[in-house]
Amino acid sequence: MRTAGLIVAAGRGLRLGAPTPKQYQPLGGSTVLAHALRAFLGHPGVAIVRVVIHPDDRRLYDAALDGLDAERLAGLDADRLGPPVAGGATRCASVLAGLEALAQSAPDRVLIHDAARPFLSGRLISAVLDALDGVPAAFPALSVVDALWRATGGAVEAPVERADLWRAQTPQGFRFPEILAAHRGHEGDAADDVAVARAAGLAVRLVPGAEENYKITTAADLDKARRSVGGAMDIRTGNGFDVHAFGLGNSVTLCGVVVPFDRGLVGHSDADVGMHALTDAIFGALGEGDIGHWFPPSDPQWKGVDSAVFLRKAVERATARRFAVTHLDCTLICEAPKIGPHAGAMRAALAAATAIEPDRISVKATTSERLGFTGRGEGIAALATATLVRP
Ligand code: MG
């Protein structure tokens, strides 16, 4: 069974009263749309995902996806995301455009989801997919708990029996050939895809929806969404470790400071073991591989280079993903040279290289009590920890 996800993000969101459509509004360090996308890309049962966008929104869409590429390295399979599909004048026209685009990959089932519902869970996706084993269409819905009244111009007329009424959510799931045929044959617009399926005579089943899977419609909804993710600050730590051997030379470069010594450190770059460990710690916190991934030692352009280039790149990647590097801690392990007299200068050099305040940077040193390769004076090792925070 091959399942596709289709996220409908072509609306203008006029009720929000903001110039930027609601699906592109910032939410918890990314956007409303990116939250919905992550739910689909993170679900093992969804093989391919397409997003239907308004033709004017390509730039907003690309910006909303910033960071997903990096998250692929962190284990999220963004390769399953196909290029965006241009939507039409109505919701139905947009969904049909998306289904026609998906038809090329011939999925068995499709989950059609409103981009303005950022909090769908993997469990809800699974529940809809499970229901599709027995019927051609299924969707999550919630019962109505409030009393319902029909009224005209504020004048109450009659109660409405609520026992059989349900509030529809998305993702709405369908067997793909059936919903494609239903949309192709549908005239005019519809409130959702279940309406299109029913008009085509498809049997539809309800599965229990989730209150947190609400649709962002008004500015108040967006505030509520931001409050609910506000507590979920993303705090990460990464570690780094590096070793360089002593060789010929009359100085070593450690954490950006040239320290006179009777030997040098061997390496492709300036062999700044401290900066290398710190760079790896930041890449580690981001889940973006290591220094060798970004700066292959086989590439001649990094020969003899100032290692601040590597460290700055790691900080840049953190910034691009809206993380602040809030603390760096580096321990240099060697018998000699003495680090203590240079530690202040090293902190200042690291601060200058990264634009991080010096009081958020620590450099310290230890010997290994003459044990091991550092104890025998064969080289210098460095350990580092980086702390990153995304509000
Ligand atoms: Mg190194």
Side-chain angles (χ1 to χ4, degrees):
M1 274 289 186
R2 194 169 149 79
T3 299
L6 183 64
I7 300 180
V8 187
R12 312 316 288 153
L14 296 176
R15 274 179 286 183
L16 194 68
T20 303
K22 58 191 175 184
Q23 59 272 31
Y24 299 111
Q25 290 285 331
L27 177 64
S30 61
T31 58
V32 172
L33 171 62
H35 276 256
L37 253 177
R38 266 191 215 103
F40 279 103
L41 294 174
H43 195 284
V46 180
I48 179 168
V49 181
R50 300 292 289 266
V51 182
V52 185
I53 66 171
H54 191 282
D56 295 345
D57 290 349
R58 183 58 200 252
R59 225 166 39 84
L60 287 169
Y61 174 81
D62 288 342
L65 258 60
D66 184 40
L68 276 183
D69 189 44
E71 282 167 30
R72 178 176 54 77
L73 287 167
L76 197 68
D77 190 359
D79 286 343
R80 287 181 287 164
L81 180 62
V85 181
T90 62
R91 187 182 183 285
C92 267
S94 292
V95 172
L96 180 57
L99 293 173
E100 296 287 6
L102 278 172
Q104 298 156 14
S105 26
D108 302 296
R109 307 181 294 195
V110 63
L111 296 166
I112 305 175
H113 184 67
D114 285 332
R117 293 184 190 271
F119 301 127
L120 80 160
S121 65
R123 210 167 52 183
L124 192 66
I125 291 174
S126 296
V128 174
L129 289 178
D130 287 349
L132 284 181
D133 289 343
V135 282
F139 71 107
L142 293 168
S143 60
V144 176
V145 293
D146 300 315
L148 289 180
W149 287 88
R150 192 179 307 284
T152 309
V156 172
E157 289 163 1
V160 177
E161 179 52 51
R162 69 182 181 213
D164 298 328
L165 295 183
W166 294 85
R167 295 184 285 141
Q169 297 188 325
T170 68
Q172 299 186 341
F174 306 91
R175 291 183 192 154
F176 187 80
E178 277 99 325
I179 195 65
L180 178 60
H183 263 282
R184 280 176 176 167
H186 192 78
E187 300 278 341
D189 207 9
D192 65 3
D193 303 291
V194 165
V196 175
R198 287 298 301 150
L202 297 182
V204 184
R205 179 170 297 165
L206 293 177
V207 302
E211 286 291 355
E212 70 269 18
N213 181 35
Y214 61 89
K215 184 174 185 173
I216 293 176
T217 306
T218 63
D221 296 332
L222 189 56
D223 283 347
K224 176 173 142 184
R226 285 176 178 155
R227 277 196 306 276
S228 71
V229 297
M233 187 182 273
D234 195 344
I235 302 173
R236 301 172 172 208
T237 53
N239 69 60
F241 177 71
D242 196 31
V243 173
H244 282 262
F246 285 125
L248 293 176
N250 51 21
S251 68
V252 293
T253 303
L254 297 171
C255 295
V257 173
V258 177
V259 178
F261 193 51
D262 59 5
R263 280 168 289 173
L265 286 172
V266 180
H268 188 66
S269 62
D270 64 3
D272 189 331
V273 65
M275 278 201 180
H276 293 184
L278 286 163
T279 303
D280 266 351
I282 297 171
F283 282 135
L286 293 169
E288 294 198 27
D290 58 19
I291 195 169
H293 166 82
W294 289 92
F295 303 98
S298 54
D299 188 335
Q301 69 169 306
W302 311 123
K303 187 156 177 54
V305 81
D306 178 352
S307 294
V309 169
F310 309 151
L311 187 57
R312 266 198 291 273
K313 177 68 181 183
V315 174
E316 252 174 55
R317 286 302 310 152
T319 307
R321 287 178 54 195
R322 302 181 183 87
F323 280 99
V325 179
T326 58
H327 192 249
L328 293 174
D329 186 15
C330 181
T331 301
L332 297 164
I333 306 164
C334 56
E335 301 294 329
K338 284 259 171 278
I339 304 300
H342 304 283
M346 290 175 182
R347 289 175 69 196
L350 292 172
T354 56
I356 297 166
E357 303 96 305
D359 70 344
R360 294 178 178 276
I361 297 174
S362 153
V363 175
K364 52 203 194 308
T366 185
T367 70
S368 55
E369 300 290 346
R370 303 197 172 276
L371 297 172
F373 65 89
T374 50
R376 293 188 297 270
E378 295 169 6
I380 301 183
L383 282 167
T385 303
T387 306
L388 276 59
V389 176
R390 180 161 65 183

